[in-house]
Amino acid sequence: MKYCTNCGRQLADDEVCTCRQQAQPQTPNQTQDNNAQADNAAQQGQFNGQPQGSAQGQFNGQPQGSAQSQAFDNFTQQVSAAGQQLQNDKNVASIITFYKGLVKKPAQAAADFVKNANMASGFIFIGLFAIVEVVLSVVYLLSSVIGSIGGFGFSFYPASFFEGIFSGIVGEAVRVLILAAVILVVLNAVQKDKKVTFAQTLSAACLYDAVYLPIILVAAIIDIIPFQFFGNVSSWLHTFAGVVGYVSIFFGVRAIEEDDNKLPLVCGLAFLATAIGSTIVNAIF
């Protein structure tokens, strides 16, 4: 009876033990497969260098609850911005509709603008007047420069230049507000049943600038041309713009008053009070 010197198993006569063959090491391919399985197991336990449980609790480097709160805040801000943009678009749309109507039915366009009164639209026209005032001041300055090329003297005083712009803007804003306030007071005083709002009278008062501004811009451009005839054309356009502006106010006020017989009184008092107020403002500034 003999035994294996390696594993100690009892062997029969002439039997050779196979324990050494069964204990051979794994092949390289088997080793790589085992290593890949180990790596996959490690990766399942982590996510982007973090433990799996921590990765699920965070989003973009923030705790999940904080990320949800930030997303909600962004959504509410977007909704608020969209609502504000919609309101601005409505104001701009009302002005565009007014100018389109002036081409076909100017009296109806003025009446509709006042009936659908919007405070924002009225103040937009005041802002447009300020912009046009600056543009006109620059245009007249260029006109003076061009005139100086023909041999005329030219002097520029920055303080007087900007003071003129400021006084023009303030004076026009005060004139519009006075006109709107007087129309409001007089209409509500002479009418029994139909009461008007300041938004409506402000829209009516702004009709003058709404019609006047585009015409005087054209007149200013024509006035740059260094010929006497074009200077006369510019003067005619200024007169035309003023008449059309006052007529537009007339139709605007007519849309919100109840008795046409009192309309001349209302407009007359409004224009008189505006002239007095403008004189006082010009004296101050």
Side-chain angles (χ1 to χ4, degrees):
M1 183 80 55
K2 63 179 182 177
Y3 298 89
C4 175
T5 59
N6 183 50
C7 64
R9 185 171 66 86
Q10 184 177 358
L11 301 174
D13 294 340
D14 300 329
E15 183 182 359
V16 179
C17 185
T18 61
C19 65
R20 291 181 179 275
Q21 296 178 357
Q22 295 177 354
Q24 288 181 354
Q26 294 177 333
T27 63
N29 290 336
Q30 292 175 334
T31 302
Q32 292 177 358
D33 292 340
N34 292 337
N35 291 338
Q37 293 176 358
D39 291 340
N40 291 335
Q43 290 177 357
Q44 291 176 356
Q46 292 183 345
F47 181 71
N48 290 337
Q50 298 175 344
Q52 186 175 9
S54 176
Q56 291 177 351
Q58 293 185 351
F59 179 73
N60 289 337
Q62 297 178 346
Q64 187 174 9
S66 176
Q68 292 175 350
S69 177
Q70 184 65 35
F72 179 77
D73 291 341
N74 293 337
F75 174 76
T76 55
Q77 292 176 0
Q78 292 174 359
V79 171
S80 177
Q84 184 64 36
Q85 183 64 35
L86 179 61
Q87 181 65 27
N88 293 338
D89 291 343
K90 288 174 59 179
N91 298 332
V92 174
S94 66
I95 295 175
I96 294 175
T97 301
F98 166 73
Y99 278 115
K100 288 181 178 179
L102 283 180
V103 179
K104 298 180 179 179
K105 298 179 179 180
Q108 187 62 44
D112 291 340
F113 183 74
V114 175
K115 288 179 180 178
N116 302 321
N118 191 316
M119 289 285 289
S121 299
F123 286 110
I124 287 174
F125 276 124
I126 296 177
L128 288 176
F129 178 87
I131 296 174
V132 172
E133 182 71 18
V134 174
V135 173
L136 289 178
S137 299
V138 174
V139 169
Y140 291 138
L141 178 63
L142 292 177
S143 179
S144 300
V145 173
I146 295 174
S148 66
I149 297 176
F152 299 100
F154 171 73
S155 299
F156 175 66
Y157 301 97
S160 299
F161 177 76
F162 291 108
E163 182 181 353
I165 294 176
F166 175 76
S167 61
I169 294 173
V170 173
E172 183 61 20
V174 172
R175 187 195 69 80
V176 171
L177 294 176
I178 291 175
L179 183 58
V182 173
I183 295 174
L184 175 68
V185 172
V186 175
L187 276 181
N188 286 331
V190 300
Q191 296 183 156
K192 297 179 179 180
D193 300 327
K194 188 176 183 180
K195 298 300 180 181
V196 299
T197 64
F198 183 73
Q200 291 175 324
T201 59
L202 178 63
S203 298
C206 287
L207 286 175
Y208 182 91
D209 287 337
V211 178
Y212 185 78
L213 294 178
I215 300 175
I216 63 170
L217 277 177
V218 176
I221 295 173
I222 293 176
D223 195 37
I224 296 178
I225 303 174
F227 292 99
Q228 182 62 35
F229 172 75
F230 293 101
N232 293 332
V233 173
S234 176
S235 177
W236 299 336
L237 287 177
H238 274 81
T239 302
F240 173 74
V243 172
V244 174
Y246 284 117
V247 171
S248 298
I249 293 178
F250 179 86
F251 283 109
V253 174
R254 187 182 183 185
I256 54 176
E257 57 84 32
E258 63 182 9
D259 188 357
D260 287 347
N261 293 322
K262 296 177 181 178
L263 185 58
L265 174 64
V266 173
C267 291
L269 290 176
F271 295 149
L272 177 61
T274 302
I276 296 173
S278 297
T279 302
I280 296 174
V281 172
N282 292 334
I284 296 175
F285 293 97

